PDB file of all heavy atoms in Angstrom:
ATOM      1  N   VAL A 263      93.173  84.282  67.477  1.00 93.00           N
ATOM      2  CA  VAL A 263      92.148  83.291  67.355  1.00 93.00           C
ATOM      3  C   VAL A 263      91.636  82.889  68.758  1.00 93.00           C
ATOM      4  O   VAL A 263      92.425  82.489  69.627  1.00 93.00           O
ATOM      5  CB  VAL A 263      92.650  82.027  66.594  1.00 93.00           C
ATOM      6  CG1 VAL A 263      91.503  81.081  66.329  1.00 93.00           C
ATOM      7  CG2 VAL A 263      93.267  82.454  65.258  1.00 93.00           C
ATOM      8  N   VAL A 264      90.360  83.013  68.953  1.00 91.00           N
ATOM      9  CA  VAL A 264      89.769  82.624  70.210  1.00 91.00           C
ATOM     10  C   VAL A 264      89.226  81.209  70.070  1.00 91.00           C
ATOM     11  O   VAL A 264      88.356  80.937  69.236  1.00 91.00           O
ATOM     12  CB  VAL A 264      88.608  83.575  70.582  1.00 91.00           C
ATOM     13  CG1 VAL A 264      87.990  83.135  71.934  1.00 91.00           C
ATOM     14  CG2 VAL A 264      89.053  85.047  70.583  1.00 91.00           C
ATOM     15  N   ILE A 265      89.773  80.319  70.926  1.00 91.00           N
ATOM     16  CA  ILE A 265      89.364  78.939  70.886  1.00 91.00           C
ATOM     17  C   ILE A 265      89.009  78.493  72.302  1.00 91.00           C
ATOM     18  O   ILE A 265      89.401  79.065  73.277  1.00 91.00           O
ATOM     19  CB  ILE A 265      90.443  78.001  70.342  1.00 91.00           C
ATOM     20  CG1 ILE A 265      91.714  78.048  71.162  1.00 91.00           C
ATOM     21  CG2 ILE A 265      90.783  78.373  68.862  1.00 91.00           C
ATOM     22  CD1 ILE A 265      92.791  77.007  70.764  1.00 91.00           C
ATOM     23  N   ALA A 266      88.254  77.407  72.399  1.00 87.00           N
ATOM     24  CA  ALA A 266      87.873  76.843  73.702  1.00 87.00           C
ATOM     25  C   ALA A 266      89.117  76.378  74.447  1.00 87.00           C
ATOM     26  O   ALA A 266      90.152  76.003  73.819  1.00 87.00           O
ATOM     27  CB  ALA A 266      86.893  75.700  73.522  1.00 87.00           C
ATOM     28  N   ALA A 267      89.049  76.322  75.749  1.00 85.00           N
ATOM     29  CA  ALA A 267      90.222  76.035  76.550  1.00 85.00           C
ATOM     30  C   ALA A 267      90.806  74.641  76.363  1.00 85.00           C
ATOM     31  O   ALA A 267      91.933  74.363  76.613  1.00 85.00           O
ATOM     32  CB  ALA A 267      89.811  76.174  78.058  1.00 85.00           C
ATOM     33  N   ASP A 268      89.929  73.704  75.854  1.00 88.00           N
ATOM     34  CA  ASP A 268      90.464  72.319  75.626  1.00 88.00           C
ATOM     35  C   ASP A 268      91.089  72.161  74.235  1.00 88.00           C
ATOM     36  O   ASP A 268      91.448  71.007  73.871  1.00 88.00           O
ATOM     37  CB  ASP A 268      89.308  71.334  75.848  1.00 88.00           C
ATOM     38  CG  ASP A 268      88.088  71.590  74.873  1.00 88.00           C
ATOM     39  OD1 ASP A 268      88.061  72.701  74.289  1.00 88.00           O
ATOM     40  OD2 ASP A 268      87.206  70.751  74.828  1.00 88.00           O
ATOM     41  N   HIS A 269      91.260  73.248  73.514  1.00 89.00           N
ATOM     42  CA  HIS A 269      92.019  73.169  72.249  1.00 89.00           C
ATOM     43  C   HIS A 269      93.422  73.861  72.437  1.00 89.00           C
ATOM     44  O   HIS A 269      93.639  74.452  73.449  1.00 89.00           O
ATOM     45  CB  HIS A 269      91.228  73.856  71.095  1.00 89.00           C
ATOM     46  CG  HIS A 269      89.956  73.139  70.740  1.00 89.00           C
ATOM     47  ND1 HIS A 269      89.965  72.088  69.807  1.00 89.00           N
ATOM     48  CD2 HIS A 269      88.680  73.272  71.135  1.00 89.00           C
ATOM     49  CE1 HIS A 269      88.790  71.668  69.616  1.00 89.00           C
ATOM     50  NE2 HIS A 269      87.968  72.321  70.461  1.00 89.00           N
ATOM     51  N   ASN A 270      94.279  73.691  71.407  1.00 88.00           N
ATOM     52  CA  ASN A 270      95.615  74.271  71.560  1.00 88.00           C
ATOM     53  C   ASN A 270      96.162  74.835  70.273  1.00 88.00           C
ATOM     54  O   ASN A 270      95.518  74.643  69.207  1.00 88.00           O
ATOM     55  CB  ASN A 270      96.612  73.274  72.207  1.00 88.00           C
ATOM     56  CG  ASN A 270      96.730  72.019  71.378  1.00 88.00           C
ATOM     57  OD1 ASN A 270      97.060  72.067  70.184  1.00 88.00           O
ATOM     58  ND2 ASN A 270      96.500  70.843  71.955  1.00 88.00           N
ATOM     59  N   GLU A 271      97.348  75.456  70.357  1.00 90.00           N
ATOM     60  CA  GLU A 271      97.902  76.123  69.189  1.00 90.00           C
ATOM     61  C   GLU A 271      98.377  75.162  68.129  1.00 90.00           C
ATOM     62  O   GLU A 271      98.340  75.465  66.881  1.00 90.00           O
ATOM     63  CB  GLU A 271      99.100  76.959  69.615  1.00 90.00           C
ATOM     64  CG  GLU A 271     100.188  76.203  70.319  1.00 90.00           C
ATOM     65  CD  GLU A 271     101.229  77.085  71.004  1.00 90.00           C
ATOM     66  OE1 GLU A 271     100.759  77.890  71.882  1.00 90.00           O
ATOM     67  OE2 GLU A 271     102.360  76.951  70.750  1.00 90.00           O
ATOM     68  N   ASN A 272      98.700  73.905  68.491  1.00 91.00           N
ATOM     69  CA  ASN A 272      99.130  72.894  67.496  1.00 91.00           C
ATOM     70  C   ASN A 272      97.991  72.604  66.503  1.00 91.00           C
ATOM     71  O   ASN A 272      98.247  72.373  65.334  1.00 91.00           O
ATOM     72  CB  ASN A 272      99.588  71.622  68.159  1.00 91.00           C
ATOM     73  CG  ASN A 272     100.845  71.859  68.941  1.00 91.00           C
ATOM     74  OD1 ASN A 272     101.682  72.765  68.632  1.00 91.00           O
ATOM     75  ND2 ASN A 272     101.061  71.090  70.043  1.00 91.00           N
ATOM     76  N   GLU A 273      96.726  72.550  67.016  1.00 91.00           N
ATOM     77  CA  GLU A 273      95.618  72.301  66.175  1.00 91.00           C
ATOM     78  C   GLU A 273      95.449  73.369  65.096  1.00 91.00           C
ATOM     79  O   GLU A 273      95.182  73.112  63.950  1.00 91.00           O
ATOM     80  CB  GLU A 273      94.314  72.161  66.963  1.00 91.00           C
ATOM     81  CG  GLU A 273      94.301  70.973  67.927  1.00 91.00           C
ATOM     82  CD  GLU A 273      93.029  71.031  68.773  1.00 91.00           C
ATOM     83  OE1 GLU A 273      91.946  71.099  68.213  1.00 91.00           O
ATOM     84  OE2 GLU A 273      93.162  71.094  70.013  1.00 91.00           O
ATOM     85  N   ILE A 274      95.630  74.628  65.517  1.00 91.00           N
ATOM     86  CA  ILE A 274      95.489  75.747  64.635  1.00 91.00           C
ATOM     87  C   ILE A 274      96.577  75.669  63.533  1.00 91.00           C
ATOM     88  O   ILE A 274      96.337  75.833  62.331  1.00 91.00           O
ATOM     89  CB  ILE A 274      95.668  77.088  65.401  1.00 91.00           C
ATOM     90  CG1 ILE A 274      94.595  77.228  66.476  1.00 91.00           C
ATOM     91  CG2 ILE A 274      95.557  78.275  64.438  1.00 91.00           C
ATOM     92  CD1 ILE A 274      93.194  77.531  66.076  1.00 91.00           C
ATOM     93  N   GLU A 275      97.811  75.397  63.957  1.00 92.00           N
ATOM     94  CA  GLU A 275      98.933  75.360  63.029  1.00 92.00           C
ATOM     95  C   GLU A 275      98.693  74.230  62.002  1.00 92.00           C
ATOM     96  O   GLU A 275      98.938  74.377  60.788  1.00 92.00           O
ATOM     97  CB  GLU A 275     100.226  75.176  63.758  1.00 92.00           C
ATOM     98  CG  GLU A 275     101.417  75.267  62.810  1.00 92.00           C
ATOM     99  CD  GLU A 275     102.770  75.332  63.575  1.00 92.00           C
ATOM    100  OE1 GLU A 275     102.778  75.022  64.820  1.00 92.00           O
ATOM    101  OE2 GLU A 275     103.768  75.740  62.985  1.00 92.00           O
ATOM    102  N   ARG A 276      98.270  73.044  62.499  1.00 92.00           N
ATOM    103  CA  ARG A 276      98.105  71.893  61.570  1.00 92.00           C
ATOM    104  C   ARG A 276      96.960  72.241  60.595  1.00 92.00           C
ATOM    105  O   ARG A 276      97.089  71.873  59.410  1.00 92.00           O
ATOM    106  CB  ARG A 276      97.733  70.652  62.373  1.00 92.00           C
ATOM    107  CG  ARG A 276      98.901  70.001  63.062  1.00 92.00           C
ATOM    108  CD  ARG A 276      98.550  68.516  63.518  1.00 92.00           C
ATOM    109  NE  ARG A 276      97.469  68.506  64.409  1.00 92.00           N
ATOM    110  CZ  ARG A 276      97.558  68.553  65.744  1.00 92.00           C
ATOM    111  NH1 ARG A 276      98.762  68.669  66.305  1.00 92.00           N
ATOM    112  NH2 ARG A 276      96.463  68.494  66.544  1.00 92.00           N
ATOM    113  N   TYR A 277      95.929  72.860  61.026  1.00 92.00           N
ATOM    114  CA  TYR A 277      94.820  73.184  60.160  1.00 92.00           C
ATOM    115  C   TYR A 277      95.223  74.203  59.051  1.00 92.00           C
ATOM    116  O   TYR A 277      94.911  73.925  57.858  1.00 92.00           O
ATOM    117  CB  TYR A 277      93.669  73.834  60.997  1.00 92.00           C
ATOM    118  CG  TYR A 277      92.448  74.166  60.172  1.00 92.00           C
ATOM    119  CD1 TYR A 277      91.612  73.202  59.782  1.00 92.00           C
ATOM    120  CD2 TYR A 277      92.233  75.461  59.715  1.00 92.00           C
ATOM    121  CE1 TYR A 277      90.410  73.494  59.023  1.00 92.00           C
ATOM    122  CE2 TYR A 277      91.138  75.793  58.973  1.00 92.00           C
ATOM    123  CZ  TYR A 277      90.207  74.784  58.616  1.00 92.00           C
ATOM    124  OH  TYR A 277      89.137  75.075  57.791  1.00 92.00           O
ATOM    125  N   LEU A 278      96.000  75.165  59.438  1.00 92.00           N
ATOM    126  CA  LEU A 278      96.452  76.131  58.412  1.00 92.00           C
ATOM    127  C   LEU A 278      97.371  75.467  57.382  1.00 92.00           C
ATOM    128  O   LEU A 278      97.204  75.696  56.163  1.00 92.00           O
ATOM    129  CB  LEU A 278      97.168  77.330  59.101  1.00 92.00           C
ATOM    130  CG  LEU A 278      96.291  78.306  59.862  1.00 92.00           C
ATOM    131  CD1 LEU A 278      97.144  79.272  60.652  1.00 92.00           C
ATOM    132  CD2 LEU A 278      95.449  79.106  58.848  1.00 92.00           C
ATOM    133  N   LYS A 279      98.274  74.611  57.884  1.00 92.00           N
ATOM    134  CA  LYS A 279      99.228  73.971  56.970  1.00 92.00           C
ATOM    135  C   LYS A 279      98.465  73.041  56.037  1.00 92.00           C
ATOM    136  O   LYS A 279      98.798  72.890  54.797  1.00 92.00           O
ATOM    137  CB  LYS A 279     100.301  73.258  57.748  1.00 92.00           C
ATOM    138  CG  LYS A 279     101.269  74.196  58.311  1.00 92.00           C
ATOM    139  CD  LYS A 279     102.391  73.504  59.040  1.00 92.00           C
ATOM    140  CE  LYS A 279     103.424  74.543  59.633  1.00 92.00           C
ATOM    141  NZ  LYS A 279     104.532  73.876  60.359  1.00 92.00           N
ATOM    142  N   SER A 280      97.404  72.379  56.526  1.00 94.00           N
ATOM    143  CA  SER A 280      96.588  71.474  55.721  1.00 94.00           C
ATOM    144  C   SER A 280      95.886  72.178  54.608  1.00 94.00           C
ATOM    145  O   SER A 280      95.532  71.641  53.594  1.00 94.00           O
ATOM    146  CB  SER A 280      95.645  70.733  56.580  1.00 94.00           C
ATOM    147  OG  SER A 280      94.555  71.554  57.016  1.00 94.00           O
ATOM    148  N   GLU A 281      95.640  73.472  54.820  1.00 93.00           N
ATOM    149  CA  GLU A 281      94.958  74.334  53.817  1.00 93.00           C
ATOM    150  C   GLU A 281      95.946  75.095  52.969  1.00 93.00           C
ATOM    151  O   GLU A 281      95.616  76.024  52.206  1.00 93.00           O
ATOM    152  CB  GLU A 281      94.086  75.364  54.586  1.00 93.00           C
ATOM    153  CG  GLU A 281      92.913  74.763  55.305  1.00 93.00           C
ATOM    154  CD  GLU A 281      91.893  74.146  54.376  1.00 93.00           C
ATOM    155  OE1 GLU A 281      91.582  74.740  53.358  1.00 93.00           O
ATOM    156  OE2 GLU A 281      91.394  73.065  54.711  1.00 93.00           O
ATOM    157  N   GLY A 282      97.246  74.757  53.120  1.00 94.00           N
ATOM    158  CA  GLY A 282      98.287  75.398  52.280  1.00 94.00           C
ATOM    159  C   GLY A 282      98.695  76.781  52.713  1.00 94.00           C
ATOM    160  O   GLY A 282      99.243  77.515  51.874  1.00 94.00           O
ATOM    161  N   ILE A 283      98.494  77.100  53.976  1.00 93.00           N
ATOM    162  CA  ILE A 283      98.792  78.441  54.482  1.00 93.00           C
ATOM    163  C   ILE A 283     100.145  78.384  55.224  1.00 93.00           C
ATOM    164  O   ILE A 283     100.369  77.638  56.176  1.00 93.00           O
ATOM    165  CB  ILE A 283      97.746  78.970  55.512  1.00 93.00           C
ATOM    166  CG1 ILE A 283      96.340  78.982  54.836  1.00 93.00           C
ATOM    167  CG2 ILE A 283      98.116  80.361  56.010  1.00 93.00           C
ATOM    168  CD1 ILE A 283      96.180  79.972  53.775  1.00 93.00           C
ATOM    169  N   GLU A 284     101.112  79.188  54.779  1.00 92.00           N
ATOM    170  CA  GLU A 284     102.386  79.288  55.432  1.00 92.00           C
ATOM    171  C   GLU A 284     102.244  80.044  56.696  1.00 92.00           C
ATOM    172  O   GLU A 284     101.587  81.138  56.793  1.00 92.00           O
ATOM    173  CB  GLU A 284     103.410  79.969  54.533  1.00 92.00           C
ATOM    174  CG  GLU A 284     104.785  80.083  55.142  1.00 92.00           C
ATOM    175  CD  GLU A 284     105.748  80.860  54.219  1.00 92.00           C
ATOM    176  OE1 GLU A 284     105.382  81.195  53.050  1.00 92.00           O
ATOM    177  OE2 GLU A 284     106.873  81.213  54.725  1.00 92.00           O
ATOM    178  N   VAL A 285     102.890  79.538  57.758  1.00 93.00           N
ATOM    179  CA  VAL A 285     102.794  80.165  59.093  1.00 93.00           C
ATOM    180  C   VAL A 285     104.145  80.570  59.616  1.00 93.00           C
ATOM    181  O   VAL A 285     105.107  79.719  59.580  1.00 93.00           O
ATOM    182  CB  VAL A 285     102.109  79.231  60.120  1.00 93.00           C
ATOM    183  CG1 VAL A 285     102.060  79.839  61.536  1.00 93.00           C
ATOM    184  CG2 VAL A 285     100.690  78.817  59.655  1.00 93.00           C
ATOM    185  N   THR A 286     104.319  81.806  60.056  1.00 93.00           N
ATOM    186  CA  THR A 286     105.592  82.275  60.576  1.00 93.00           C
ATOM    187  C   THR A 286     105.679  82.059  62.063  1.00 93.00           C
ATOM    188  O   THR A 286     106.716  81.604  62.578  1.00 93.00           O
ATOM    189  CB  THR A 286     105.714  83.784  60.360  1.00 93.00           C
ATOM    190  OG1 THR A 286     105.587  84.066  58.969  1.00 93.00           O
ATOM    191  CG2 THR A 286     107.103  84.320  60.807  1.00 93.00           C
ATOM    192  N   GLN A 287     104.561  82.252  62.795  1.00 93.00           N
ATOM    193  CA  GLN A 287     104.591  82.098  64.223  1.00 93.00           C
ATOM    194  C   GLN A 287     103.201  81.729  64.765  1.00 93.00           C
ATOM    195  O   GLN A 287     102.191  82.298  64.241  1.00 93.00           O
ATOM    196  CB  GLN A 287     105.102  83.352  64.925  1.00 93.00           C
ATOM    197  CG  GLN A 287     105.217  83.159  66.450  1.00 93.00           C
ATOM    198  CD  GLN A 287     105.681  84.492  67.066  1.00 93.00           C
ATOM    199  OE1 GLN A 287     105.207  85.611  66.782  1.00 93.00           O
ATOM    200  NE2 GLN A 287     106.671  84.409  67.973  1.00 93.00           N
ATOM    201  N   VAL A 288     103.076  80.768  65.615  1.00 94.00           N
ATOM    202  CA  VAL A 288     101.876  80.410  66.348  1.00 94.00           C
ATOM    203  C   VAL A 288     102.157  80.318  67.816  1.00 94.00           C
ATOM    204  O   VAL A 288     103.140  79.527  68.214  1.00 94.00           O
ATOM    205  CB  VAL A 288     101.264  79.150  65.848  1.00 94.00           C
ATOM    206  CG1 VAL A 288      99.930  78.813  66.611  1.00 94.00           C
ATOM    207  CG2 VAL A 288     100.946  79.147  64.329  1.00 94.00           C
TER     208      VAL A 288
END
Side-chain angles (χ1 to χ4, degrees):
V263 184
V264 182
I265 61 172
D268 56 350
H269 291 275
N270 59 56
E271 59 194 55
N272 294 331
E273 294 176 56
I274 303 285
E275 186 170 16
R276 284 197 300 270
Y277 181 79
L278 285 171
K279 287 183 176 178
S280 72
E281 295 292 320
I283 305 292
E284 182 185 349
V285 176
T286 305
Q287 184 180 45
V288 179

